[in-house]
Amino acid sequence: MVNETYRRCSNCGEISLNEDYCPNCGNIVNITLKRELERKEKVVKRQKAQADPQKKSAVTLFLENVKDHENLIIRYVARFFYSIWLVVIAIGSFLALLFGYIAA
């Protein structure tokens, strides 16, 4: 009798006594349990995001998708800008290497 907790389901309005899940619809009614499950999901998503270091930038993905466009003009313009993008990345990488070598 000491630990009696009445909880109202936010989904259907059913009141339950000392239960984590609604007996009527199965929705989580225990706020603490719900927050703990959400935290665990966030941790799993964060670990998956950190495990994929080869994630490409939005510009690279866009240019790679447009390279195979069915319109000939769009395809050649995209390949031109993709080539420029690769040169810019190569120059930036070289400069980072050079500055890192000089600083060390």
Side-chain angles (χ1 to χ4, degrees):
M1 244 199 189
V2 175
N3 292 330
E4 290 185 359
T5 305
Y6 290 94
R7 296 182 177 113
R8 179 182 298 271
C9 178
S10 61
N11 191 26
C12 66
E14 180 77 20
I15 296 176
S16 61
L17 175 65
N18 292 335
E19 294 188 26
D20 292 334
Y21 294 92
C22 177
N24 190 24
C25 66
N27 195 22
I28 296 177
V29 292
N30 186 347
I31 301 296
T32 308
L33 178 64
K34 187 175 184 178
R35 289 179 182 164
E36 184 179 328
L37 292 174
E38 288 174 355
R39 266 189 238 114
K40 287 181 182 178
E41 287 177 11
K42 286 181 182 178
V43 167
V44 169
K45 286 181 183 178
R46 192 177 309 125
Q47 288 174 350
K48 284 183 181 179
Q50 290 174 352
D52 186 21
Q54 298 297 330
K55 193 172 185 180
K56 296 181 180 180
S57 69
V59 175
T60 305
L61 287 175
F62 173 75
L63 291 174
E64 284 181 357
N65 290 335
V66 178
K67 269 191 337 186
D68 300 324
H69 197 273
E70 59 189 35
N71 190 341
L72 185 67
I73 297 170
I74 294 174
R75 191 175 347 160
Y76 283 125
V77 169
R79 288 180 188 218
F80 173 73
F81 283 116
Y82 186 73
S83 301
I84 292 173
W85 180 248
L86 287 177
V87 169
V88 168
I89 289 176
I91 292 171
S93 300
F94 175 73
L95 290 175
L97 175 75
L98 185 66
F99 291 146
Y101 184 73
I102 291 171

